[in-house]
Every structure is written in structure tokens, then in C-alpha cells.
Amino acid sequence: MEKTALVLGAGGLAGEAFEAGVLHALHEATGFDARDVDLIVGTSAGSMTGASLRFGLSARDLAAHLSDEPLTPEGQRIFDVLGPLPDMPSITRPRFLKVPSGRLVVGAVRHPWRSRAGLLCAIAPTGTIDMGPYADFFRKMTGDGWSERDLWIVASKLPLGQRVIFGRDATCDVPSAVTASCSIPGIFRPVTIDGDRYVDGGVHSPTNADLLVGAGYDNVIVVSPMSANRASVRSGRVNPVRHIFRAMLGNEVRALRRAGMNVRVYQPGTRAQRLMGMNALDDSRSAEIVRAAYDATITRLDRTEQLAA
């Protein structure tokens, strides 16, 4: 039997809304239930979405919750337990960067792609927002253990930014792994697990899809909120950062395909990018982002069916 992995990328609260819209559309149009995949790989926002799926929340209910629409009875029971998400404190931009060590600078010059995570961790100011309330929020749903089904949550260990995969190479409880994976450097305080400090897994890669090379999966579905789809790139109106993330994802996808995997990728188009804006932690347009992602995915699936007919 073929094995399927779902990769959910970084992107803050806006990224979570994009993922919910895509997965809801896939379920509605094809019957694909993201809760049933063999493996979920979650980075930052994707770790929140992935953990929610693994502990029973459907993509439909996640999308409905973010859009203030009615939930299914199953979803309502989950959110009755969870309660409201902790308020996000006001976020100010860091006014200065730290000076990295000479060793990191030399490494970055010699091996820019290999050293980028460590350099980013080294120069980012220490964030001040405590992730503890968010861990407590998830603990109401997940408890203090791990998912019974495969769930990999990606974080970066300080001080060098090494990639750590909770659920594969390291163990802890799901709330700690999720908050570590979501701890954006310079904004959130690093999360301490067994004496080590961790920050956002997106420091290494917004998707970390390359983790699946050689992992034994036949099909890979990637939802990448921080990059850009082909049509938007052709329009010439894409933020340069999204170009970089698209290139990084492209390298990962090519590696997966060379390994013989069937890969499908969902990235924001022009409409979704405009709604997501520059502040990934702004949830004021979550409902619109969900709808934009849903509509674009349905349209894409309709075109695929027409081409196959």
C-alpha cells in the first residue's frame, strides 16, 4: 500500500489560515482527509496545524473556526475544551541585531546555505514574548504525550540553529515541540526543552520537505504558505522574500522527485499573498485568507479534472 506524507510549512497565523483553506478544499473536492495521512511534517505554523489534525480536528473545522463559521459537533467539542487562544501581545520590531561570532561569520562565507540557520539565530535579538500560555492552550487538546500516528515537528536548536525533528530524532510533549517550532527569533522567547533552547523550525527551511528524502513515502503533499505559486511569479508582483522561499522549496521538491516520490505543492497566489501581507502574526484577515486558499485550490482541482478528461 502506498504511503502518503503531508508537509505543512511556516507562515504564522496567516499561514495557518492558508493551510486550513487548502486542506479544507482538498477534503471537499477529493475526499482527502489530512488526518489520515501516514506522516505529518510540521514547521512553525505547520506544527500547529499538524498537531491539531493529529489530535482529531478536521480541516473543515479548522477552516470554520478561523472564519467564524459553524463547527461540526465534533469540532465544537474540541474547541469547547480548548477555549480561546491566548491573546497575542503587541509586537514591536527589534531595533538592533546581535553581532555573531567570528566562527559563524567565516562559516557563513564559506558555506552560505549550510550556515544560514546558525547565522540567523546568532544575529537575532532574544525575543521577549513567553510561549508558555500557548503551550498550555495546546496541552488541553494533546495532553503531555505524543501523537499515536507519525508526527514530525521541526525546530532549531540554539546557538547554532541545528535542525531537530521532534517525533523522529528527539522526544518531548507535543505542546513543547509546537511552541519551540513556532518561536520566531527576535519576537518569542526561546523554548527550553531538557536544558536546550529552541527557536522556530523555519529558520532552517520554511517547509523542511527534504526530510522525506529516503524516508520511504510514495506521495508527498506540500502546503507552503511563505512561497509563491507560478502564476503569481509570472505576474511580476511577488515579494522578493517569497522568491527566495520558492527557490528553496523548489530544491527540496526536486530532491523528492529524484527519489521517486509523487509530489504536489500548494503555494499562495496573488490574491492570497495580498491578504497575507507582511505581518504573518496578524489574524485580522484569517477568514479572507481561508477563502482565498480554498477558492484557488478548488479552481486548480477543477482544471486538473478537465485536463484529465
Side-chain angles (χ1 to χ4, degrees):
M1 181 178 294
E2 291 191 343
K3 296 175 65 178
T4 299
L6 173 64
V7 176
L8 299 169
L13 299 177
E16 186 182 14
F18 179 78
E19 290 167 348
V22 170
L23 296 177
H24 179 35
L26 288 174
H27 190 199
E28 290 285 296
T30 71
F32 170 79
D33 191 334
R35 294 174 294 183
D36 295 334
V37 294
D38 297 289
L39 169 68
I40 295 177
V41 180
T43 299
S44 198
S47 74
M48 294 191 293
T49 303
S52 298
L53 292 167
R54 275 302 191 229
F55 285 87
L57 188 64
S58 69
R60 173 184 176 182
D61 279 321
L62 182 57
H65 176 70
L66 293 172
S67 304
D68 291 323
E69 294 181 354
L71 300 165
T72 67
E74 179 186 29
Q76 188 63 59
R77 284 193 295 271
I78 293 174
F79 280 107
D80 285 344
V81 171
L82 284 173
L85 186 71
D87 290 334
M88 180 73 68
S90 59
I91 296 171
T92 57
R93 295 181 183 275
R95 289 187 290 179
F96 61 91
L97 300 176
K98 295 187 294 185
V99 178
S101 69
R103 180 163 63 94
L104 274 175
V105 172
V106 171
V109 171
R110 290 178 175 172
H111 309 286
W113 287 103
R114 190 189 311 168
S115 304
R116 69 185 185 278
L119 191 59
L120 285 170
C121 289
I123 66 175
T126 301
T128 59
I129 299 175
D130 181 17
M131 296 295 284
Y134 304 95
D136 294 339
F137 174 81
F138 265 96
R139 192 166 281 111
K140 295 175 187 176
M141 176 171 61
T142 66
D144 290 319
W146 199 259
S147 165
E148 292 181 0
R149 305 195 65 180
D150 286 346
L151 172 66
W152 295 355
I153 293 179
V154 186
S156 302
K157 185 166 75 171
L158 296 176
L160 299 179
Q162 299 105 314
R163 182 164 61 176
V164 174
I165 300 90
F166 291 103
R168 191 193 75 172
D169 302 329
T171 58
C172 69
D173 57 276
V174 167
S176 295
V178 168
T179 50
S181 186
C182 293
S183 184
I184 302 171
I187 295 177
F188 296 103
R189 193 177 301 159
V191 173
T192 300
I193 301 172
D194 293 335
D196 292 314
R197 298 188 307 144
Y198 295 89
V199 294
D200 198 306
V203 166
H204 192 280
S205 162
T207 49
N208 292 289
D210 60 304
L211 290 172
L212 292 170
V213 174
Y217 291 86
D218 305 285
N219 305 300
V220 180
I221 298 171
V222 182
V223 187
S224 174
M226 295 187 71
S227 53
N229 71 5
R230 184 180 302 172
S232 66
V233 170
R234 287 175 173 171
S235 75
R237 293 176 293 183
V238 175
N239 183 297
V241 175
R242 288 189 176 274
H243 275 291
I244 295 172
F245 293 153
R246 176 179 168 83
M248 292 173 66
L249 176 59
N251 288 334
E252 295 175 357
V253 169
R254 282 189 289 274
L256 295 177
R257 288 176 173 155
R258 284 195 298 269
M261 300 181 199
N262 175 40
V263 185
R264 284 183 288 158
V265 180
Y266 295 88
Q267 303 172 89
T270 302
R271 177 185 169 198
Q273 290 173 41
R274 183 177 65 253
L275 292 168
M276 295 168 83
M278 296 296 293
N279 182 2
L281 298 179
D282 178 8
D283 64 353
S284 63
R285 293 183 176 179
S286 290
E288 295 173 272
I289 295 168
V290 169
R291 173 51 62 181
Y294 177 93
D295 290 345
T297 304
I298 291 293
T299 298
R300 172 177 167 178
L301 293 170
D302 285 346
R303 285 200 193 115
T304 301
E305 288 179 357
Q306 290 169 8
L307 289 172

